Amino acid sequence: MRSIWNGSISFGLVTIPVKTYSATDRTSSVSFVRIHEKDGAQIQYRKICELDGKEVPNEEVGKAYQPPGDETLVPITDDDLSQLPLPTAKTLSILSFVDPAEIDPLQMDKAYYLGPNGTTATKPYTLLREALEHHRKIAVGKVAMRGRESLAMVRAHDGALVMHTLLWPDQIRPADGVVPDDVELRENELTLAETLMDSLGELDPAELHDDYREAVEELVAAKLEGEEPAAAAASDTGAQVIDLTAALEKSVRAARGGGEHDAEAESASVTPIRGRKAAKKSEAGPRTTQRSGTPAKKATAKKTASATTKKTPAKKTSAARKTSDGRKKTASSAEKTGTSTRTPAGGTAKKAASKTTAKKATGRKTG
């Protein structure tokens, strides 16, 4: 890597010459150029002077400072900046060593690797790195880079020293107007949220990748080959009213390996078997009423009753074999009498049997 700034780290009477390297690479992210939609030509940006309207070459472009609320431009050269009485112009001056939790992540700006500059810097560089790791501290100081002074944080990472430039406290905007009003949370909701956090497990950096960049690359490849890009699946972005507790419970089950399908299956409504039987009986009820209410179909009712009567003792006999001896006696008596107490048809069978007995008795008297 090519160093972008050379300076030194200073804490106490110790000075460590260092080279600075950019720790991040933004070139891999998706970037677009502007074109003229009419003819597809790329649009160029030129530096035009406001006075004469002519293009200014890069070697004639300088810098100036404009005071707030004033249109005056004060030219500033690199020599002017280099002569500023700043001890941090070429030195990262460490002010204190603090716990990492004391630094608000909102203050972090850019990251740089710091490497020893020369053989004499190797030992103090290694000493500072090991001391930071062993003491679990970070260094906070000030450094002037690229025309401005910034707060800086130095920490040990992966065998190297890393410097993060920090924003000044007055550059952090307050959260006024962002935080919602007081919201009442139930204890089980907070417990489920914490359980979900624990169930998601650890993050593997190797599995992280830029899905948007891959999608753009596939889109570009399809256009180059003259193919129609695949249409994205429509997503429902409308606001939905959800049960927070139910959503947390499903999320916990899915995170623990139950899967989204199982979570949805548990919440589905299932009709019990008894409910189905009752529904069938209720459907059959009107038909039985119609048949029994018609005098012309009494013979059919008698056949049905007798068939039901014959089937009932058989069921009771088979059930009685699996039960106690007392229940066997009840089943056997039911077989002898030929009656059933489980279905309404048994009453019809008794009436039919009494009518038959009365007819036989009448026939005997007549004979």
Side-chain angles (χ1 to χ4, degrees):
M1 289 186 291
R2 184 176 63 88
S3 63
I4 59 175
W5 181 82
N6 293 343
S8 61
I9 301 175
S10 174
F11 65 103
L13 298 177
V14 180
T15 300
I16 308 173
V18 292
K19 290 184 177 182
T20 306
Y21 308 88
S22 179
T24 57
D25 183 11
R26 298 177 181 270
T27 58
S28 61
S29 60
V30 176
S31 60
F32 302 99
V33 297
R34 297 185 179 273
I35 62 171
H36 187 196
E37 292 184 351
K38 186 176 181 180
D39 52 21
Q42 185 173 345
I43 297 176
Q44 297 182 358
Y45 292 92
R46 299 178 180 179
K47 300 177 179 67
I48 305 297
C49 179
E50 292 183 355
L51 292 179
D52 56 17
K54 295 181 180 180
E55 185 177 355
V56 180
N58 290 331
E59 57 270 15
E60 296 182 8
V61 176
K63 60 173 70 72
Y65 179 80
Q66 184 176 8
D70 193 352
E71 296 183 357
T72 305
L73 297 178
V74 181
I76 301 293
T77 64
D78 292 337
D79 292 337
D80 294 334
L81 296 175
S82 63
Q83 295 176 8
L84 290 175
L86 282 178
T88 59
K90 285 291 183 179
T91 303
L92 195 165
S93 180
I94 295 177
L95 304 175
S96 177
F97 294 90
V98 299
D99 294 331
E102 296 187 24
I103 300 299
D104 191 343
L106 285 174
Q107 290 185 257
M108 293 187 181
D109 191 10
K110 296 182 180 180
Y112 303 89
Y113 286 124
L114 300 179
N117 189 4
T119 55
T120 57
T122 303
K123 187 171 183 178
Y125 177 92
T126 305
L127 176 62
L128 177 59
R129 184 198 64 199
E130 293 295 325
L132 290 175
E133 287 185 346
H134 184 267
H135 205 41
R136 296 181 180 179
K137 297 285 186 177
I138 59 173
V140 177
K142 294 193 299 182
V143 64
M145 291 179 60
R146 296 184 174 181
R148 61 176 58 89
E149 186 180 53
S150 304
L151 282 175
M153 176 188 76
V154 178
R155 65 186 180 95
H157 172 71
D158 198 17
L161 291 175
V162 179
M163 180 182 69
H164 296 266
T165 56
L166 303 176
L167 301 177
W168 297 96
D170 59 356
Q171 292 179 309
I172 305 299
R173 294 178 177 178
D176 298 340
V178 178
V179 182
D181 297 334
D182 294 338
V183 179
E184 184 178 356
L185 294 177
R186 291 179 293 181
E187 185 176 355
N188 64 327
E189 292 174 343
L190 185 59
T191 303
L192 284 171
E194 295 174 352
T195 304
L196 178 58
M197 293 178 186
D198 297 335
S199 300
L200 290 177
E202 298 180 356
L203 182 66
D204 186 5
E207 297 181 355
L208 301 177
H209 58 278
D210 191 347
D211 293 330
Y212 182 75
R213 184 184 67 184
E214 293 180 358
V216 172
E217 291 174 351
E218 293 177 0
L219 172 65
V220 172
K223 284 183 172 290
L224 289 175
E225 295 178 0
E227 299 178 357
E228 188 69 20
S235 58
D236 185 11
T237 57
Q240 297 180 353
V241 179
I242 62 172
D243 185 348
L244 182 58
T245 303
L248 288 171
E249 290 175 349
K250 290 181 181 179
S251 301
V252 170
R253 287 195 294 267
R256 289 178 174 176
E260 186 178 354
H261 177 73
D262 294 343
E264 293 179 355
E266 290 185 8
S267 62
S269 59
V270 180
T271 304
I273 299 298
R274 294 181 179 179
R276 293 178 182 174
K277 287 184 176 181
K280 289 182 179 180
K281 289 183 179 180
S282 61
E283 291 177 0
R287 297 180 182 176
T288 307
T289 305
Q290 290 178 1
R291 290 180 180 178
S292 60
T294 306
K297 296 182 179 180
K298 288 184 179 180
T300 308
K302 290 180 182 179
K303 292 181 180 180
T304 306
S306 60
T308 308
T309 307
K310 291 179 181 179
K311 291 180 181 179
T312 303
K315 290 183 180 179
K316 289 191 174 182
T317 305
S318 58
R321 292 175 182 173
K322 298 179 182 180
T323 56
S324 61
D325 296 336
R327 295 184 178 178
K328 286 183 179 181
K329 294 179 181 180
T330 305
S332 60
S333 61
E335 288 178 1
K336 293 178 181 180
T337 56
T339 58
S340 174
T341 58
R342 293 180 61 184
T343 59
T348 309
K350 287 181 179 181
K351 292 180 180 180
S354 61
K355 289 181 179 180
T356 305
T357 307
K359 288 181 180 180
K360 289 182 178 180
T362 307
R364 291 176 183 174
K365 290 180 180 181
T366 307

